[in-house]
Amino acid sequence: QVQLVQSGGGSVQAGGSLRLSCAISGYISDNYCLAWFRQAPGKSREEVAGVYVGGGSTWYADSVQGRFTFSRDNAKNTMYLQMDNLKPEDTAMYYCAADPRAYGGDWYSLCPDHNFRYRGQGTQVTVSS
C-alpha cells in the first residue's frame, strides 16, 4: 500500500517561489508513474509534471515548462515540485500522485492520463498579482 502525504504550498505574490513536498510511504518500483496535478475552482484537473520511475525524461505541461521543476530524493522517499516565477493562473489545489503501470517504456507511452491510484491530500497554492 502506497500513501502520499503532502506539505508546503501557501500564498505568494506573482514572481515568487514555492516548493511542494510529497512524502511517499510504501515501495515505489520501477514501473510506477509519479505526477503532480492541479485543479482550480471551476476548472478541470490538469497534469503539470510527471516522471516514469523506470527511466526517461521528466514531462512538464506547456503552462509550467521552464518555471516548475519535478525532483525526487530517493533517500527520503520524497518527491518535490519546485515552482518559480509563479503566476496568478497557477493558483489551484495541487496534488501528488502515483500509480503502477507496465514495465518498460517511458512517461509518454505509459503515464499521460489522470487514472492515478494513489493521491496526496492536496495543498493549496495561491498566487496574488
Side-chain angles (χ1 to χ4, degrees), residues 4-78:
L4 308 176
V5 178
Q6 294 180 229
S7 60
S11 298
V12 67
Q13 289 191 326
S17 298
L18 288 171
R19 189 177 79 159
L20 306 182
S21 300
C22 178
I24 305 169
S25 63
Y27 179 63
I28 299 293
S29 51
D30 285 352
N31 65 320
Y32 266 75
C33 298
L34 304 177
W36 288 95
F37 291 85
R38 67 185 180 187
Q39 188 163 19
K43 295 186 177 181
S44 57
R45 189 170 53 183
E46 178 187 14
E47 201 165 37
V48 297
V51 68
Y52 178 66
V53 176
S57 59
T58 303
W59 172 87
Y60 295 96
D62 289 343
S63 57
V64 306
Q65 179 75 47
R67 300 187 298 118
F68 288 14
T69 304
F70 183 120
S71 64
R72 294 176 63 206
D73 184 332
N74 291 330
K76 295 182 178 180
N77 213 20
T78 300

Side-chain angles (χ1 to χ4, degrees), residues 61-119:
D62 289 343
S63 57
V64 306
Q65 179 75 47
R67 300 187 298 118
F68 288 14
T69 304
F70 183 120
S71 64
R72 294 176 63 206
D73 184 332
N74 291 330
K76 295 182 178 180
N77 213 20
T78 300
M79 61 192 218
Y80 304 95
L81 187 67
Q82 176 66 40
M83 304 181 294
D84 298 318
N85 191 21
L86 282 160
K87 303 176 180 181
E89 52 263 41
D90 294 319
T91 296
M93 185 71 78
Y94 284 71
Y95 300 89
C96 58
D99 193 69
R101 301 293 167 90
Y103 283 93
D106 58 16
W107 171 269
Y108 298 91
S109 61
L110 295 174
C111 308
D113 59 55
H114 291 189
N115 299 320
F116 279 64
R117 184 176 312 177
Y118 305 109
R119 195 174 74 170

